[in-house]
Amino acid sequence: MKTVRIAVFGLNHGFKFASDALKLPGVELIAVAGDNELSKKRAKELNVPLYKNYKDLVNECSLDGAIITLPNRLHKEAVEVCAKKGVHVLVEKPIASTIEEGEDIIRQCAQSNVKLMVGHHRRFSSKVAKLKEIISSGLLGEIVGVNMLYVLAKDRSYFAESWRLVQGGGPLLINGIHDIDTLRFVTGLNIESVYAAARNSIRKNQVEDSASILLETRGGATVNFFISDGVPSPWSYDCNLRENPKFYHYDENCFYFFGTKGSLSFPSLKMYSYEEENYGWEHKLIEEKFSVEDNDPMTAELVHFVEVLRGESEPVVTGEDGLETLKVINAIKESAAREQKIYLYK
Ligand SMILES: NC(=O)c1ccc[n+]([C@@H]2O[C@H](COP(=O)([O-])OP(=O)(O)OC[C@H]3O[C@@H](n4cnc5c(N)ncnc54)[C@H](O)[C@@H]3O)[C@@H](O)[C@H]2O)c1
């Protein structure tokens, strides 16, 4: 098996990738990059060389791949530096700060013939994969509607970072982007228009702290999505899936899918339907529960990136996927700002 040489840029969210990389057979973590005190401490823990500037790392090290977990504003520049050196990249979500930068990233990687993967790690969740499998099997019939919640309270220290109080730091771009990507992935629905009403009434910061969103999709299905990061509540993907130990777990659901033949809650994976001869509200719904073993999606994502580096797989989350999801989030923000329905395709 070919050993692949990788580096991780950014040691906050990136620390998990770096720690996992050390445990994976056939993977050599060559170096890490970070420019603050926490990075120094973590690089020491990992026992790998630390570069203050990721550009010096790329210039001095021979790499197959880089994992870019830098602040969003640096994604485009970092991908370009890697692509020019022929280094394949896994760049965190959102692919970039703007659509134009996302397009540039895709173009640059194609021109340089390097593989580009975007860090929508939920696509590697075993539960999400099962959800996609159930929906794709047609058991629910045609999807008519979806109801999604991402509602929780972030702890107070979270807001000590000033960038989290201004545009780009709100729950839509940080958290909601995962729910939108999951929706697109599991249903395959194409979102055609959005209408959103956003508020900052809880914390009064520049950025939203809650939003109600209505999505219309090609084919007709409609989606409701309520998001808030300032409300005590047990209903959110992060608190309901046990995939990240940082979040207190609640055995609750955050998504509901409604089809012409049945309905399904997630992550409980309970499906409700009628037998044809006992159809309708006078009858008891048939309840069926699906199950699947939990996994660690971020580790699975890293394993997949290593397969991509070995040439055994093509990225399952492409630059185009990352860009499409970002377009929906941007349309939601634009709709809220202009108090208008926004069409994604003319
Ligand atoms: N997939 C997910 O669930 C998830 C979760 C959290 C964050 N993220 C994404 O990961 C990225 C990073 O987020 P974060 O919360 O870790 O950010 P952060 O600001 O907390 O950390 C950024 C890291 O980058 C380093 N850094 C900054 N500039 C640098 C430079 N020029 N050279 C070298 N190192 C530099 C910092 O030292 C730090 O280690 C963002 O794109 C974010 O959206 C994804």
mmCIF file of all heavy atoms in Angstrom, residues 9-14 33-36 39 51-54 69-72 74-75 92-94 119 121 163-164 178, ligand 1:
data_model
loop_
_atom_site.group_PDB
_atom_site.id
_atom_site.type_symbol
_atom_site.label_atom_id
_atom_site.label_comp_id
_atom_site.label_asym_id
_atom_site.label_seq_id
_atom_site.Cartn_x
_atom_site.Cartn_y
_atom_site.Cartn_z
ATOM 1 N N PHE A 9 -3.675 22.211 7.647
ATOM 2 C CA PHE A 9 -3.506 23.663 7.876
ATOM 3 C C PHE A 9 -4.635 24.120 8.795
ATOM 4 O O PHE A 9 -5.803 24.072 8.420
ATOM 5 C CB PHE A 9 -3.647 24.470 6.571
ATOM 6 C CG PHE A 9 -2.779 24.022 5.435
ATOM 7 C CD1 PHE A 9 -3.069 24.464 4.140
ATOM 8 C CD2 PHE A 9 -1.667 23.201 5.620
ATOM 9 C CE1 PHE A 9 -2.288 24.080 3.070
ATOM 10 C CE2 PHE A 9 -0.876 22.813 4.552
ATOM 11 C CZ PHE A 9 -1.199 23.250 3.274
ATOM 12 N N GLY A 10 -4.288 24.588 9.970
ATOM 13 C CA GLY A 10 -5.303 25.051 10.932
ATOM 14 C C GLY A 10 -5.513 23.964 11.968
ATOM 15 O O GLY A 10 -5.812 22.813 11.617
ATOM 16 N N LEU A 11 -5.340 24.330 13.242
ATOM 17 C CA LEU A 11 -5.359 23.279 14.275
ATOM 18 C C LEU A 11 -6.471 23.459 15.303
ATOM 19 O O LEU A 11 -6.360 22.948 16.415
ATOM 20 C CB LEU A 11 -4.007 23.216 14.985
ATOM 21 C CG LEU A 11 -2.906 22.501 14.209
ATOM 22 C CD1 LEU A 11 -1.625 22.469 15.007
ATOM 23 C CD2 LEU A 11 -3.326 21.069 13.833
ATOM 24 N N ASN A 12 -7.524 24.163 14.905
ATOM 25 C CA ASN A 12 -8.684 24.161 15.796
ATOM 26 C C ASN A 12 -9.581 23.000 15.347
ATOM 27 O O ASN A 12 -9.435 21.871 15.804
ATOM 28 C CB ASN A 12 -9.385 25.513 15.774
ATOM 29 C CG ASN A 12 -10.490 25.550 16.826
ATOM 30 O OD1 ASN A 12 -10.565 24.665 17.675
ATOM 31 N ND2 ASN A 12 -11.331 26.546 16.771
ATOM 32 N N HIS A 13 -10.467 23.246 14.386
ATOM 33 C CA HIS A 13 -11.257 22.139 13.833
ATOM 34 C C HIS A 13 -10.326 21.076 13.222
ATOM 35 O O HIS A 13 -10.603 19.874 13.285
ATOM 36 C CB HIS A 13 -12.220 22.686 12.780
ATOM 37 C CG HIS A 13 -13.078 21.652 12.143
ATOM 38 N ND1 HIS A 13 -13.983 20.891 12.851
ATOM 39 C CD2 HIS A 13 -13.145 21.227 10.857
ATOM 40 C CE1 HIS A 13 -14.573 20.056 12.025
ATOM 41 N NE2 HIS A 13 -14.091 20.229 10.817
ATOM 42 N N GLY A 14 -9.210 21.524 12.669
ATOM 43 C CA GLY A 14 -8.282 20.614 11.986
ATOM 44 C C GLY A 14 -7.571 19.634 12.905
ATOM 45 O O GLY A 14 -7.014 18.631 12.431
ATOM 46 N N ALA A 33 0.031 23.374 10.245
ATOM 47 C CA ALA A 33 0.209 24.830 10.249
ATOM 48 C C ALA A 33 -0.787 25.469 11.204
ATOM 49 O O ALA A 33 -1.944 25.045 11.281
ATOM 50 C CB ALA A 33 -0.001 25.379 8.841
ATOM 51 N N GLY A 34 -0.318 26.476 11.911
ATOM 52 C CA GLY A 34 -1.180 27.218 12.836
ATOM 53 C C GLY A 34 -0.411 28.407 13.344
ATOM 54 O O GLY A 34 0.812 28.326 13.476
ATOM 55 N N ASP A 35 -1.131 29.510 13.612
ATOM 56 C CA ASP A 35 -0.382 30.726 13.956
ATOM 57 C C ASP A 35 -0.719 31.269 15.344
ATOM 58 O O ASP A 35 -0.567 32.447 15.590
ATOM 59 C CB ASP A 35 -0.621 31.792 12.876
ATOM 60 C CG ASP A 35 -2.067 32.271 12.853
ATOM 61 O OD1 ASP A 35 -2.917 31.705 13.590
ATOM 62 O OD2 ASP A 35 -2.353 33.230 12.118
ATOM 63 N N ASN A 36 -1.204 30.386 16.224
ATOM 64 C CA ASN A 36 -1.517 30.897 17.568
ATOM 65 C C ASN A 36 -0.991 29.940 18.659
ATOM 66 O O ASN A 36 -0.402 28.893 18.354
ATOM 67 C CB ASN A 36 -3.037 31.125 17.709
ATOM 68 C CG ASN A 36 -3.833 29.870 17.390
ATOM 69 O OD1 ASN A 36 -3.276 28.770 17.324
ATOM 70 N ND2 ASN A 36 -5.124 30.028 17.186
ATOM 71 N N SER A 39 -2.174 26.338 18.638
ATOM 72 C CA SER A 39 -1.524 25.526 17.603
ATOM 73 C C SER A 39 -0.199 24.968 18.110
ATOM 74 O O SER A 39 0.146 23.811 17.855
ATOM 75 C CB SER A 39 -1.267 26.340 16.337
ATOM 76 O OG SER A 39 -2.425 26.985 15.918
ATOM 77 N N TYR A 51 4.328 24.832 11.235
ATOM 78 C CA TYR A 51 4.665 26.025 10.457
ATOM 79 C C TYR A 51 3.675 27.117 10.824
ATOM 80 O O TYR A 51 2.469 26.872 10.861
ATOM 81 C CB TYR A 51 4.569 25.734 8.948
ATOM 82 C CG TYR A 51 5.711 24.911 8.424
ATOM 83 C CD1 TYR A 51 5.781 23.548 8.674
ATOM 84 C CD2 TYR A 51 6.723 25.500 7.678
ATOM 85 C CE1 TYR A 51 6.837 22.782 8.192
ATOM 86 C CE2 TYR A 51 7.783 24.744 7.189
ATOM 87 C CZ TYR A 51 7.830 23.391 7.454
ATOM 88 O OH TYR A 51 8.874 22.639 6.974
ATOM 89 N N LYS A 52 4.232 28.320 11.062
ATOM 90 C CA LYS A 52 3.375 29.459 11.402
ATOM 91 C C LYS A 52 2.554 29.877 10.189
ATOM 92 O O LYS A 52 1.418 30.316 10.309
ATOM 93 C CB LYS A 52 4.234 30.645 11.845
ATOM 94 C CG LYS A 52 4.032 30.997 13.298
ATOM 95 C CD LYS A 52 4.886 32.171 13.641
ATOM 96 C CE LYS A 52 4.098 33.073 14.572
ATOM 97 N NZ LYS A 52 4.859 34.178 15.051
ATOM 98 N N ASN A 53 3.174 29.743 9.024
ATOM 99 C CA ASN A 53 2.493 30.126 7.794
ATOM 100 C C ASN A 53 2.390 28.883 6.896
ATOM 101 O O ASN A 53 3.408 28.263 6.568
ATOM 102 C CB ASN A 53 3.282 31.231 7.090
ATOM 103 C CG ASN A 53 2.487 31.828 5.954
ATOM 104 O OD1 ASN A 53 1.775 31.116 5.241
ATOM 105 N ND2 ASN A 53 2.587 33.127 5.795
ATOM 106 N N TYR A 54 1.176 28.576 6.480
ATOM 107 C CA TYR A 54 0.983 27.352 5.690
ATOM 108 C C TYR A 54 1.719 27.408 4.347
ATOM 109 O O TYR A 54 2.068 26.375 3.777
ATOM 110 C CB TYR A 54 -0.524 27.085 5.490
ATOM 111 C CG TYR A 54 -1.157 28.045 4.537
ATOM 112 C CD1 TYR A 54 -1.152 27.802 3.177
ATOM 113 C CD2 TYR A 54 -1.722 29.233 4.983
ATOM 114 C CE1 TYR A 54 -1.692 28.710 2.286
ATOM 115 C CE2 TYR A 54 -2.261 30.146 4.108
ATOM 116 C CZ TYR A 54 -2.242 29.877 2.758
ATOM 117 O OH TYR A 54 -2.760 30.774 1.882
ATOM 118 N N THR A 69 -8.142 23.589 6.948
ATOM 119 C CA THR A 69 -9.138 23.974 7.961
ATOM 120 C C THR A 69 -8.759 25.349 8.497
ATOM 121 O O THR A 69 -8.676 25.561 9.702
ATOM 122 C CB THR A 69 -9.248 22.930 9.087
ATOM 123 O OG1 THR A 69 -7.950 22.774 9.675
ATOM 124 C CG2 THR A 69 -9.709 21.597 8.596
ATOM 125 N N LEU A 70 -8.518 26.255 7.562
ATOM 126 C CA LEU A 70 -8.198 27.648 7.886
ATOM 127 C C LEU A 70 -9.495 28.453 7.876
ATOM 128 O O LEU A 70 -10.505 27.992 7.338
ATOM 129 C CB LEU A 70 -7.246 28.205 6.810
ATOM 130 C CG LEU A 70 -5.874 27.544 6.716
ATOM 131 C CD1 LEU A 70 -5.159 27.994 5.449
ATOM 132 C CD2 LEU A 70 -5.037 27.859 7.957
ATOM 133 N N PRO A 71 -9.460 29.677 8.422
ATOM 134 C CA PRO A 71 -10.656 30.539 8.316
ATOM 135 C C PRO A 71 -11.105 30.659 6.856
ATOM 136 O O PRO A 71 -10.272 30.645 5.936
ATOM 137 C CB PRO A 71 -10.159 31.881 8.861
ATOM 138 C CG PRO A 71 -9.021 31.528 9.773
ATOM 139 C CD PRO A 71 -8.371 30.318 9.170
ATOM 140 N N ASN A 72 -12.412 30.818 6.661
ATOM 141 C CA ASN A 72 -12.996 30.811 5.309
ATOM 142 C C ASN A 72 -12.303 31.769 4.341
ATOM 143 O O ASN A 72 -12.125 31.465 3.165
ATOM 144 C CB ASN A 72 -14.483 31.191 5.368
ATOM 145 C CG ASN A 72 -15.255 30.249 6.259
ATOM 146 O OD1 ASN A 72 -14.781 29.160 6.557
ATOM 147 N ND2 ASN A 72 -16.430 30.660 6.694
ATOM 148 N N LEU A 74 -9.380 32.457 3.924
ATOM 149 C CA LEU A 74 -8.101 31.968 3.394
ATOM 150 C C LEU A 74 -8.256 30.735 2.494
ATOM 151 O O LEU A 74 -7.273 30.245 1.941
ATOM 152 C CB LEU A 74 -7.156 31.622 4.550
ATOM 153 C CG LEU A 74 -6.718 32.786 5.443
ATOM 154 C CD1 LEU A 74 -5.820 32.290 6.567
ATOM 155 C CD2 LEU A 74 -5.971 33.834 4.617
ATOM 156 N N HIS A 75 -9.483 30.224 2.339
ATOM 157 C CA HIS A 75 -9.656 28.977 1.582
ATOM 158 C C HIS A 75 -9.150 29.107 0.141
ATOM 159 O O HIS A 75 -8.411 28.256 -0.340
ATOM 160 C CB HIS A 75 -11.134 28.550 1.571
ATOM 161 C CG HIS A 75 -11.605 28.017 2.893
ATOM 162 N ND1 HIS A 75 -12.834 27.424 3.075
ATOM 163 C CD2 HIS A 75 -11.031 27.983 4.113
ATOM 164 C CE1 HIS A 75 -12.974 27.061 4.332
ATOM 165 N NE2 HIS A 75 -11.893 27.393 4.989
ATOM 166 N N GLU A 92 -12.263 22.712 3.939
ATOM 167 C CA GLU A 92 -13.451 22.714 4.797
ATOM 168 C C GLU A 92 -14.606 23.495 4.172
ATOM 169 O O GLU A 92 -14.421 24.305 3.282
ATOM 170 C CB GLU A 92 -13.099 23.318 6.163
ATOM 171 C CG GLU A 92 -12.915 22.284 7.251
ATOM 172 C CD GLU A 92 -14.085 21.308 7.368
ATOM 173 O OE1 GLU A 92 -15.233 21.670 7.040
ATOM 174 O OE2 GLU A 92 -13.850 20.163 7.775
ATOM 175 N N LYS A 93 -15.785 23.226 4.658
ATOM 176 C CA LYS A 93 -16.955 24.005 4.263
ATOM 177 C C LYS A 93 -16.936 25.345 4.983
ATOM 178 O O LYS A 93 -16.370 25.405 6.076
ATOM 179 C CB LYS A 93 -18.252 23.256 4.532
ATOM 180 C CG LYS A 93 -18.545 22.845 5.946
ATOM 181 C CD LYS A 93 -18.612 23.647 7.128
ATOM 182 C CE LYS A 93 -19.252 24.825 7.522
ATOM 183 N NZ LYS A 93 -19.066 25.377 8.853
ATOM 184 N N PRO A 94 -17.502 26.418 4.482
ATOM 185 C CA PRO A 94 -17.979 26.543 3.118
ATOM 186 C C PRO A 94 -16.780 26.544 2.163
ATOM 187 O O PRO A 94 -15.702 26.977 2.556
ATOM 188 C CB PRO A 94 -18.657 27.918 3.123
ATOM 189 C CG PRO A 94 -17.964 28.685 4.204
ATOM 190 C CD PRO A 94 -17.587 27.684 5.241
ATOM 191 N N GLY A 119 -15.363 19.766 2.636
ATOM 192 C CA GLY A 119 -15.581 19.109 3.937
ATOM 193 C C GLY A 119 -17.004 19.054 4.459
ATOM 194 O O GLY A 119 -17.243 19.422 5.618
ATOM 195 N N HIS A 121 -18.761 16.843 6.001
ATOM 196 C CA HIS A 121 -18.482 15.517 6.578
ATOM 197 C C HIS A 121 -19.727 14.685 6.865
ATOM 198 O O HIS A 121 -19.650 13.468 6.960
ATOM 199 C CB HIS A 121 -17.655 15.670 7.862
ATOM 200 C CG HIS A 121 -18.410 16.333 8.964
ATOM 201 N ND1 HIS A 121 -18.533 17.692 9.064
ATOM 202 C CD2 HIS A 121 -19.122 15.811 9.992
ATOM 203 C CE1 HIS A 121 -19.275 17.972 10.108
ATOM 204 N NE2 HIS A 121 -19.644 16.856 10.693
ATOM 205 N N TRP A 163 -15.402 37.640 15.294
ATOM 206 C CA TRP A 163 -15.912 37.370 13.943
ATOM 207 C C TRP A 163 -17.252 36.628 13.983
ATOM 208 O O TRP A 163 -17.986 36.611 12.995
ATOM 209 C CB TRP A 163 -14.885 36.598 13.109
ATOM 210 C CG TRP A 163 -14.577 35.198 13.571
ATOM 211 C CD1 TRP A 163 -13.565 34.815 14.402
ATOM 212 C CD2 TRP A 163 -15.271 33.993 13.220
ATOM 213 N NE1 TRP A 163 -13.597 33.457 14.608
ATOM 214 C CE2 TRP A 163 -14.622 32.918 13.889
ATOM 215 C CE3 TRP A 163 -16.379 33.700 12.405
ATOM 216 C CZ2 TRP A 163 -15.054 31.592 13.773
ATOM 217 C CZ3 TRP A 163 -16.795 32.376 12.297
ATOM 218 C CH2 TRP A 163 -16.137 31.348 12.974
ATOM 219 N N ARG A 164 -17.577 36.060 15.151
ATOM 220 C CA ARG A 164 -18.848 35.330 15.248
ATOM 221 C C ARG A 164 -20.046 36.266 15.456
ATOM 222 O O ARG A 164 -21.190 35.817 15.495
ATOM 223 C CB ARG A 164 -18.768 34.324 16.404
ATOM 224 C CG ARG A 164 -17.815 33.199 16.059
ATOM 225 C CD ARG A 164 -17.605 32.222 17.166
ATOM 226 N NE ARG A 164 -16.906 31.054 16.656
ATOM 227 C CZ ARG A 164 -16.108 30.281 17.358
ATOM 228 N NH1 ARG A 164 -15.907 30.534 18.633
ATOM 229 N NH2 ARG A 164 -15.521 29.242 16.809
ATOM 230 N N HIS A 178 -24.711 22.874 6.827
ATOM 231 C CA HIS A 178 -24.649 21.407 6.936
ATOM 232 C C HIS A 178 -26.039 20.796 6.711
ATOM 233 O O HIS A 178 -26.173 19.757 6.069
ATOM 234 C CB HIS A 178 -24.158 20.986 8.325
ATOM 235 C CG HIS A 178 -22.697 21.217 8.535
ATOM 236 N ND1 HIS A 178 -21.736 20.570 7.805
ATOM 237 C CD2 HIS A 178 -22.026 22.010 9.401
ATOM 238 C CE1 HIS A 178 -20.539 20.956 8.204
ATOM 239 N NE2 HIS A 178 -20.686 21.830 9.174
HETATM 240 N N1 LIG B 1 -17.174 20.534 9.123
HETATM 241 C C1 LIG B 1 -17.447 21.094 10.286
HETATM 242 O O1 LIG B 1 -18.309 20.645 11.038
HETATM 243 C C2 LIG B 1 -16.675 22.284 10.742
HETATM 244 C C3 LIG B 1 -16.654 22.626 12.105
HETATM 245 C C4 LIG B 1 -15.887 23.723 12.499
HETATM 246 C C5 LIG B 1 -15.205 24.468 11.550
HETATM 247 N N2 LIG B 1 -15.271 24.117 10.234
HETATM 248 C C6 LIG B 1 -14.556 24.912 9.222
HETATM 249 O O2 LIG B 1 -13.158 24.791 9.450
HETATM 250 C C7 LIG B 1 -12.518 26.030 9.142
HETATM 251 C C8 LIG B 1 -11.757 26.501 10.369
HETATM 252 O O3 LIG B 1 -12.684 26.762 11.400
HETATM 253 P P1 LIG B 1 -12.185 26.893 12.933
HETATM 254 O O4 LIG B 1 -13.401 27.069 13.749
HETATM 255 O O5 LIG B 1 -11.239 25.802 13.226
HETATM 256 O O6 LIG B 1 -11.398 28.305 12.808
HETATM 257 P P2 LIG B 1 -10.442 28.977 13.889
HETATM 258 O O7 LIG B 1 -10.357 30.426 13.507
HETATM 259 O O8 LIG B 1 -10.837 28.614 15.266
HETATM 260 O O9 LIG B 1 -9.001 28.271 13.621
HETATM 261 C C9 LIG B 1 -8.239 28.561 12.475
HETATM 262 C C10 LIG B 1 -6.893 27.882 12.521
HETATM 263 O O10 LIG B 1 -6.116 28.352 11.401
HETATM 264 C C11 LIG B 1 -4.839 28.824 11.832
HETATM 265 N N3 LIG B 1 -4.382 29.871 10.901
HETATM 266 C C12 LIG B 1 -4.994 31.036 10.586
HETATM 267 N N4 LIG B 1 -4.279 31.711 9.656
HETATM 268 C C13 LIG B 1 -3.192 30.938 9.364
HETATM 269 C C14 LIG B 1 -2.084 31.056 8.466
HETATM 270 N N5 LIG B 1 -1.932 32.112 7.652
HETATM 271 N N6 LIG B 1 -1.165 30.056 8.420
HETATM 272 C C15 LIG B 1 -1.300 28.985 9.233
HETATM 273 N N7 LIG B 1 -2.322 28.806 10.087
HETATM 274 C C16 LIG B 1 -3.251 29.770 10.160
HETATM 275 C C17 LIG B 1 -5.084 29.288 13.260
HETATM 276 O O11 LIG B 1 -3.875 29.296 14.009
HETATM 277 C C18 LIG B 1 -6.057 28.218 13.762
HETATM 278 O O12 LIG B 1 -5.351 27.048 14.155
HETATM 279 C C19 LIG B 1 -13.603 26.981 8.671
HETATM 280 O O13 LIG B 1 -13.684 26.930 7.279
HETATM 281 C C20 LIG B 1 -14.865 26.396 9.280
HETATM 282 O O14 LIG B 1 -16.032 26.710 8.540
HETATM 283 C C21 LIG B 1 -15.965 23.043 9.838
#
